[in-house]
Amino acid sequence: GMSKKDVIKLTGIITKCLPGAKFIVKADDVELEAICTLSGKLRQNKIILCENDKVDFEVSVYDFTKGRIVWRH
């Protein structure tokens, strides 16, 4: 797995919901769009996410195109 120092935490908006509980998230402050899955915590709590939801997400420093949503605002 990724260690904490290998991820960058970002805030953004879900622009699209994809099949298989994946989401396209566009970062607020940087030119970046990532395909994100849900973190275990959100999945356990059966959090429903929709387009235009504001979320916190993490991307790997090695691959900015894939990420994980860790929080919904």
Side-chain angles (χ1 to χ4, degrees), residues 19-50:
K22 288 189 164 66
F23 306 87
I24 296 180
V25 182
K26 188 178 191 317
D28 286 344
D29 305 324
V30 285
E31 265 306 305
L32 187 146
E33 270 193 329
I35 296 180
C36 294
T37 55
L38 287 179
S39 74
K41 268 208 182 67
L42 290 184
R43 213 180 274 125
Q44 273 165 6
N45 297 326
K46 301 198 169 40
I47 303 292
I48 305 295
L49 294 169
C50 311

Side-chain angles (χ1 to χ4, degrees), residues 7-13 25-34 36 54-60 64 66-71 73:
V7 300
I8 299 169
K9 270 188 162 357
L10 296 161
T11 303
I13 298 285
V25 182
K26 188 178 191 317
D28 286 344
D29 305 324
V30 285
E31 265 306 305
L32 187 146
E33 270 193 329
C36 294
K54 193 175 181 64
V55 293
D56 292 344
F57 65 109
E58 296 174 343
V59 292
S60 162
F64 295 134
K66 295 191 186 69
R68 184 172 59 194
I69 295 171
V70 293
W71 188 255
H73 290 275

